[in-house]
Amino acid sequence: PRPVEVAPSPERGYRMRARFHVRGQRVGFYRESSHDLCDAATSGQLQPGAIQAVRAVVQWLARDDADDVQAVELAENIAADARAIHLELRDERTATRLTSEVEVQGVTGLSWSLPSDSRTRVVLGVPYVTDGLDIRPLQEAERARSSESEGPPIRVRRHVRAFFQGNRYLLSELVQRVLALVPEGPVIDLYAGVGLFAVSLASTRRDEIVGVEGDAISSQDLIANAASCVRPFLSHHTSVEEFLRGARGVPSHTVIVDPPRTGLSRDATSGLTSCRPRRIVYVSCDVATLARDIKNLAAAGYRLGEIEAFDLFPNTPYVETIAVLQRE
């Protein structure tokens, strides 16, 4: 009934994660709807230091006439003082040119893998970056209720190859808003990734928290982040569909879902509605699949209560949306 409020973002230097394509010593993004390589710097999405670091690594390793490096993954923290780079190499012969002696300014971790072997091999530093989340308004409200002293800062580690929200300017605000929409009681965080929401909940609530993630790399971070919490939460490395098939006895007042762009699968929707949580907080990066899934959840007895948006991807057609669905 009301216009959807959209939290704005600065348009330049917002991105903390990126995947680059490589041709010889040229590195960049694909132009829209093509395989034409274009200069990533012209988009303004990344910090200049990030672009320089990726170029330096590729130019140091790649030859002009060979596609020795197939792709590059970048992850940096909010402050941009930790930056990990992962190289997808064509073959192991290219990897022999990578040694621990390589030094690139502004890189705190360098690793590689092969198409035939996805294991991460670390060359220098660590393949992780760590962020401290600023959700102090929520913490202050919790302390007022519990009379507890302020605990350690909320910190989340993530592998360079793990999924993570990409906008440095709106990250804390997004987390803060999701947590504000989660009432007291047990919570299940589906598609938990490295535990962005689950860690924040476990750090500010006394309720039981469960995190579920199917990706092997992200789930390792989820498990490590869960163990590092003052009040550790349960973490599961399994698909959402498999977890929901056996979750009939798992208590949950609220379920958070933050699925990939494809949205909820048919089995995930069926499993979710069978568990009958009172509230679903749906975090979406694609409005089309969100609309489809809300329609399916409404048919199962849920009512759309609130909806708001965050411009995590300025100057693109993509908008991050939070929708709250309540069981009738």
Side-chain angles (χ1 to χ4, degrees):
R2 300 184 306 276
V4 176
E5 293 187 12
V6 183
S9 168
E11 296 179 354
R12 303 189 68 82
Y14 66 86
R15 229 170 134 170
M16 297 189 293
R17 293 179 58 247
R19 179 177 175 85
F20 301 84
H21 302 281
V22 183
R23 289 183 185 153
Q25 291 193 352
R26 294 178 58 229
V27 57
F29 295 152
Y30 280 152
R31 198 175 302 280
E32 185 178 11
S33 303
S34 79
H35 285 82
D36 297 335
L37 203 63
C38 62
D39 183 2
T42 60
S43 72
Q45 296 175 348
L46 291 148
Q47 300 275 353
I51 298 284
Q52 293 166 9
V54 169
R55 284 176 176 167
V57 170
V58 170
Q59 290 171 2
W60 180 85
L61 181 64
R63 295 169 293 177
D64 288 329
D65 58 347
D67 290 332
D68 297 326
V69 182
Q70 295 186 332
V72 179
E73 296 209 49
L74 164 79
E76 62 182 16
N77 62 358
I78 294 173
D81 55 12
R83 184 176 293 126
I85 290 177
H86 181 81
L87 304 170
E88 295 180 8
L89 304 181
R90 184 179 62 178
D91 55 45
E92 202 151 357
R93 288 176 299 177
T94 307
T96 60
R97 304 208 300 276
L98 278 172
T99 70
S100 58
E101 297 176 1
V102 60
E103 291 186 13
V104 179
Q105 186 176 4
V107 174
T108 55
L110 182 63
S111 59
W112 60 275
S113 64
L114 300 172
S116 58
D117 185 350
S118 63
R119 288 178 300 167
T120 301
R121 277 88 156 190
V122 180
V123 177
L124 64 86
V126 293
Y128 307 99
V129 297
T130 301
D131 280 301
L133 297 179
D134 181 10
I135 55 172
R136 285 174 294 180
L138 180 65
Q139 288 178 312
E140 289 165 6
E142 290 293 322
R143 285 200 303 276
R145 286 200 295 266
S146 64
S147 300
E148 290 182 348
S149 60
E150 184 174 357
I154 297 171
R155 303 189 68 79
V156 179
R157 96 159 197 198
R158 52 192 165 94
H159 195 279
V160 61
R161 303 172 72 187
F163 170 80
F164 196 72
Q165 297 290 356
N167 188 306
R168 59 172 28 91
Y169 301 121
L170 291 180
L171 181 64
S172 292
E173 187 177 344
L174 176 71
V175 174
Q176 195 173 317
R177 189 61 191 137
V178 169
L179 267 60
L181 294 169
V182 175
E184 294 184 2
V187 180
I188 297 176
D189 183 9
L190 301 178
Y191 310 95
V194 306
L196 178 63
F197 302 126
V199 168
S200 301
L201 283 164
S203 300
T204 56
R205 309 284 182 94
R206 289 187 174 276
D207 304 303
E208 179 179 313
I209 309 298
V210 176
V212 181
E213 176 55 45
D215 178 73
I217 292 175
S218 295
S219 65
Q220 289 177 7
D221 286 333
L222 175 65
I223 292 167
N225 287 325
S228 68
C229 285
V230 175
R231 291 190 291 274
F233 60 88
L234 297 175
S235 55
H236 296 270
H237 173 207
T238 186
S239 70
V240 166
E241 292 81 0
E242 186 65 30
F243 174 83
L244 290 173
R245 274 194 284 271
R248 299 295 183 269
V250 178
S252 173
H253 295 175
T254 304
V255 171
I256 300 172
V257 294
D258 185 8
R261 185 157 285 145
T262 50
L264 300 175
S265 69
R266 194 171 294 178
D267 287 345
T269 302
S270 174
L272 183 58
T273 55
S274 296
C275 290
R276 304 188 77 243
R278 295 178 191 169
R279 173 174 286 212
I280 299 171
V281 179
Y282 192 138
V283 183
S284 169
C285 62
D286 186 275
V287 294
T289 55
L290 174 66
R292 179 202 66 198
D293 292 343
I294 287 177
K295 180 179 179 180
N296 293 334
L297 292 169
Y302 284 87
R303 174 180 55 82
L304 178 62
E306 300 181 49
I307 189 164
E308 54 194 279
F310 290 76
D311 194 15
L312 296 192
F313 324 100
N315 293 324
T316 79
Y318 301 106
V319 178
E320 195 83 0
T321 309
I322 305 174
V324 178
L325 296 109
Q326 199 79 19
R327 196 175 71 224
E328 297 282 10

